[in-house]
Amino acid sequence: MNQLTQTLEKQRLQELFDNCQQQVLSQIMGPFGLSTAMFEDKNGGNVATVHNANQSIFPDAMHEKNFAIANINYNQEIRQKHWDDTSARWSRHKANNQKIDAGQEVLSDATKRPMVKGDIHGDHVVSLKENHDNKSFHLRFSEEERKAIVNNEKNMAYIEGKLNMSKGKKSWDECLSDPEFVKANNLSRDEIENIKKIDKEARDYLKGAENKRLASELLSTGTKEAAMMGVRQALGMLLTELVNQLFNEIKDLYREGVDSGKALLQQLKFRSKKIIDALLKKLPDVLNQVFEGGLSGFASNLITFLINTFISTAKNVVKIIREGLLSLFKAVKMILFPKSNVNKQENLKAALKLITTAVFTSIGIFFEESFKAFFVAIPVVGVFADTLAPVFMGILVGISSALIAYAIDRLFDKYGGPSFDEKMLDEIIDNSNLQNKFADDLFEQLDFSMMAIENYQYSIRINQDIAEQFAGALASNDYTIYLLEHDVISTKQQIKKTIDAIKCEEDFIANLDSFLITQEKGN
């Protein structure tokens, strides 16, 4: 048992050394290497939110321009310059006047009452003031787009001048909730219901346009994040594998040694092919990384947007969300969809390692700017601060992650219960199988020994016959018999030792059966 424990400790230490190398490479190739080069993280994320805009945080200049007048109080100048478009109503007014001149009725869109020429007003169903006060509407559209949307016929109603003047800048909901307004305009129940209907249709149109634009922004930025995250994961895995293979081949080449000239070129060609083959074998895993990275990249973009609806995030927080979500996704996948050849305890341990690695990575990202400032303060070195800070932090995070993974392994070995006991039991069963094989070999040797004894006895009888026929060679035959008898005695002693060994083996198997029965009762 002690020997098995020592073996397991050596195995854990070797895993620690190997894991240190892998973690450092993964961190430098991933969050602190390729991510820095590929992603241009922004304060507030990639999608504009009203919360961020109120704090002058925008993903790009376009959204900042869109929001330029959002905080200016609505007035007549703002209305005429930035919102109203009288030309959009001209054709409808002309058509209405022509109908009236031709003796036809023109009914109010609101009350369905006949209207008279000169008293027909084009009313914005959702008022321009209400649209101006909608800051989200500013963010999503340029001024030209906003004008086109709010002056579209789906937001226009042609109604009586008196009714429009009474409504003013207020919403229809405010007006219809006021008994004085309803009484002053002599509105019936059917007319009120019709007004509510056209108001709902206009609001659905405006909200639909806004939601469609938001969905388009989320889809485009999410797709970009997904593609870049997928590529980063794929490149990270391939580069890590390439570096590992190069290290292994260089060490192997140095250890074996090679002559210069043609032999060296052949070795380099042979080892290059090995590296390429190793990379090709990784392609299925690379495709899986593309899928996982893409999914987590898209989700992190969406989550960052939702968070920034309420709280503005700094660019390092955006990076933490992206990297953390990837690790969390892998951990959840590992727990919910475990591999068939790995038990639940091992899956849980691997998921815990992923989560702790994500925590250390997040801490590293959080302090990366501090390390960059530290390097900047150092003469000469400060020139390379943008490169050194991520590499240095990647090494620290990689080593820390490897150490915490080692600690988790040791904790599970000591307190994990079933996992450690199962390993010990497997070792005992393996030893038992070896003992059984050894016993079978002993029985086979015993059969050979018995056959040898029979052959010796047969030889004795032949020699006795020869002794009777050749009296002159009696002394020589006696000596031969003596030797043969001595061999018989040695063989019998060997047989006795073999029988004793078999008995010991039977006792060991009996003790093992007792131990297994005890373990089953204990479980």
Side-chain angles (χ1 to χ4, degrees):
M1 186 71 74
N2 289 334
Q3 184 180 0
L4 291 175
T5 304
Q6 291 173 0
T7 302
L8 186 59
E9 288 178 353
K10 291 180 181 179
Q11 178 185 340
R12 293 302 183 209
L13 284 173
Q14 185 59 46
E15 288 176 357
L16 171 62
F17 297 141
D18 294 340
N19 201 23
C20 274
Q21 177 183 337
Q22 293 303 314
Q23 284 290 347
V24 168
L25 281 174
S26 297
Q27 293 295 332
I28 293 177
M29 297 296 180
F32 298 99
L34 290 175
S35 284
T36 304
M38 294 176 64
F39 293 90
E40 187 180 350
D41 292 317
K42 310 178 184 75
N43 292 334
N46 299 315
V47 183
T49 66
V50 173
H51 177 83
N52 287 341
N54 285 332
Q55 300 180 59
S56 299
I57 299 174
F58 302 94
D60 50 46
M62 180 190 74
H63 287 89
E64 185 174 5
K65 182 181 178 182
N66 292 349
F67 203 72
I69 64 168
N71 289 316
I72 300 176
N73 291 329
Y74 183 80
N75 54 45
Q76 193 63 22
E77 181 183 355
I78 291 292
R79 169 192 170 91
Q80 293 176 355
K81 184 176 180 181
H82 300 286
W83 288 99
D84 199 13
D85 183 8
T86 56
S87 63
R89 301 189 291 276
W90 183 83
S91 60
R92 180 69 182 271
H93 279 305
K94 181 180 179 182
N96 286 336
N97 289 332
Q98 289 175 345
K99 282 185 179 181
I100 292 173
D101 290 341
Q104 300 177 9
E105 284 188 339
V106 175
L107 302 180
S108 167
D109 290 331
T111 62
K112 301 302 179 183
R113 301 171 188 173
M115 295 186 291
V116 297
K117 187 176 181 180
D119 191 42
I120 302 174
H121 284 201
D123 171 57
H124 295 92
V125 180
V126 179
S127 70
L128 298 181
K129 180 182 185 303
E130 187 175 348
N131 280 296
H132 177 79
D133 292 340
N134 181 4
K135 292 185 176 182
S136 177
F137 196 63
H138 284 266
L139 273 181
R140 301 298 160 220
F141 301 102
S142 66
E143 182 174 323
E144 292 75 17
E145 290 172 327
R146 291 195 299 267
K147 267 190 176 183
I149 292 170
V150 299
N151 289 284
N152 187 279
E153 62 179 10
K154 293 181 180 179
N155 189 45
M156 296 299 303
Y158 292 85
I159 62 176
E160 302 90 330
K162 177 187 175 184
L163 184 61
N164 186 42
M165 296 297 290
S166 298
K167 175 175 179 281
K169 301 175 184 178
K170 294 183 290 185
S171 68
W172 277 115
D173 186 58
E174 291 177 281
C175 294
L176 298 178
S177 300
D178 181 5
E180 293 297 326
F181 177 88
V182 175
K183 183 178 179 181
N185 290 280
N186 194 27
L187 297 177
S188 67
R189 184 180 299 276
D190 288 342
E191 290 171 341
I192 291 173
E193 290 301 318
N194 184 62
I195 292 172
K196 288 182 177 179
K197 177 175 176 291
I198 62 174
D199 182 66
K200 181 180 182 304
E201 289 174 351
R203 291 182 184 279
D204 288 345
Y205 158 68
L206 293 172
K207 194 63 179 176
E210 186 179 338
N211 289 342
K212 185 177 179 180
R213 176 58 60 87
L214 174 60
S216 175
E217 289 185 18
L218 285 171
L219 183 61
S220 62
T221 55
T223 302
K224 182 179 177 182
E225 285 286 304
M228 293 180 69
M229 195 64 177
V231 171
R232 195 212 78 174
Q233 286 298 100
L235 283 176
M237 173 170 279
L238 288 174
L239 287 174
T240 301
E241 182 67 18
L242 176 62
V243 172
N244 283 330
Q245 290 296 327
L246 283 173
F247 281 157
N248 292 336
E249 294 302 327
I250 290 171
K251 286 191 295 185
D252 193 41
L253 187 63
Y254 176 77
R255 186 169 52 249
E256 292 184 1
V258 64
D259 297 331
S260 59
K262 186 176 180 181
L264 177 59
L265 292 175
Q266 290 177 343
Q267 279 289 332
L268 291 175
K269 182 178 179 182
F270 170 72
R271 294 181 186 280
S272 298
K273 186 176 183 304
K274 282 181 64 179
I275 293 173
I276 293 172
D277 290 341
L279 292 176
L280 291 175
K281 289 179 181 178
K282 279 285 182 180
L283 285 181
D285 294 330
V286 168
L287 293 176
N288 185 52
Q289 287 295 312
V290 169
F291 172 76
E292 290 183 359
L295 188 61
S296 66
F298 190 90
S300 67
N301 185 70
L302 179 60
I303 291 172
T304 302
F305 164 73
L306 294 175
I307 292 174
N308 278 275
T309 303
F310 308 100
I311 303 171
S312 297
T313 57
K315 60 182 179 181
N316 58 346
V317 177
V318 175
K319 189 174 181 180
I320 287 172
I321 293 172
R322 182 176 61 244
E323 302 299 335
L325 194 66
L326 177 61
S327 296
L328 184 61
F329 172 76
K330 288 182 177 180
V332 171
K333 178 186 174 185
M334 194 170 291
I335 293 173
L336 296 181
F337 307 101
K339 295 181 179 179
S340 57
N341 59 339
V342 181
N343 61 42
K344 292 182 179 179
Q345 193 87 2
E346 291 296 325
N347 274 314
L348 179 61
K349 184 167 63 173
L352 186 58
K353 289 179 183 179
L354 278 173
I355 293 172
T356 53
T357 299
V359 171
F360 275 93
T361 302
S362 300
I363 294 172
I365 293 170
F366 189 78
F367 285 103
E368 184 180 352
E369 292 297 324
S370 300
F371 274 93
K372 190 178 293 184
F374 170 75
F375 282 116
V376 168
I378 301 174
V380 182
V381 176
V383 179
F384 307 100
D386 289 339
T387 302
L388 290 176
V391 172
F392 183 73
M393 187 55 68
I395 292 171
L396 278 181
V397 171
I399 294 173
S400 300
S401 300
L403 289 173
I404 199 66
Y406 172 74
I408 290 171
D409 281 332
R410 298 301 295 134
L411 284 173
F412 270 78
D413 290 341
K414 189 172 183 180
Y415 302 109
S419 178
F420 181 65
D421 287 344
E422 286 173 8
K423 289 180 180 177
M424 299 295 286
L425 189 59
D426 289 341
E427 293 287 347
I428 292 173
I429 292 173
D430 288 341
N431 287 337
S432 173
N433 291 333
L434 289 174
Q435 293 286 350
N436 288 334
K437 185 176 183 304
F438 178 67
D440 292 339
D441 291 340
L442 287 177
F443 279 118
E444 187 176 351
Q445 290 296 327
L446 181 61
D447 290 339
F448 289 143
S449 297
M450 294 299 295
M451 291 175 61
I453 291 171
E454 292 178 357
N455 290 333
Y456 286 142
Q457 290 175 344
Y458 179 69
S459 298
I460 291 171
R461 288 196 298 271
I462 292 176
N463 282 306
Q464 287 175 343
D465 292 340
I466 293 173
E468 292 176 357
Q469 296 175 10
F470 302 96
L474 181 60
S476 177
N477 286 335
D478 288 341
Y479 181 70
T480 301
I481 293 170
Y482 167 77
L483 292 177
L484 290 174
E485 287 177 344
H486 183 270
D487 287 341
V488 169
I489 293 171
S490 298
T491 303
K492 288 180 178 179
Q493 290 175 347
Q494 180 64 35
I495 291 171
K496 184 177 182 301
K497 289 179 181 180
T498 301
I499 292 171
D500 291 338
I502 293 170
K503 184 178 179 182
C504 289
E505 176 60 23
E506 290 175 348
D507 291 340
F508 174 79
I509 292 172
N511 289 333
L512 178 62
D513 290 337
S514 176
F515 171 75
L516 293 175
I517 292 169
T518 304
Q519 286 289 11
E520 290 177 354
K521 290 181 178 180
N523 292 332

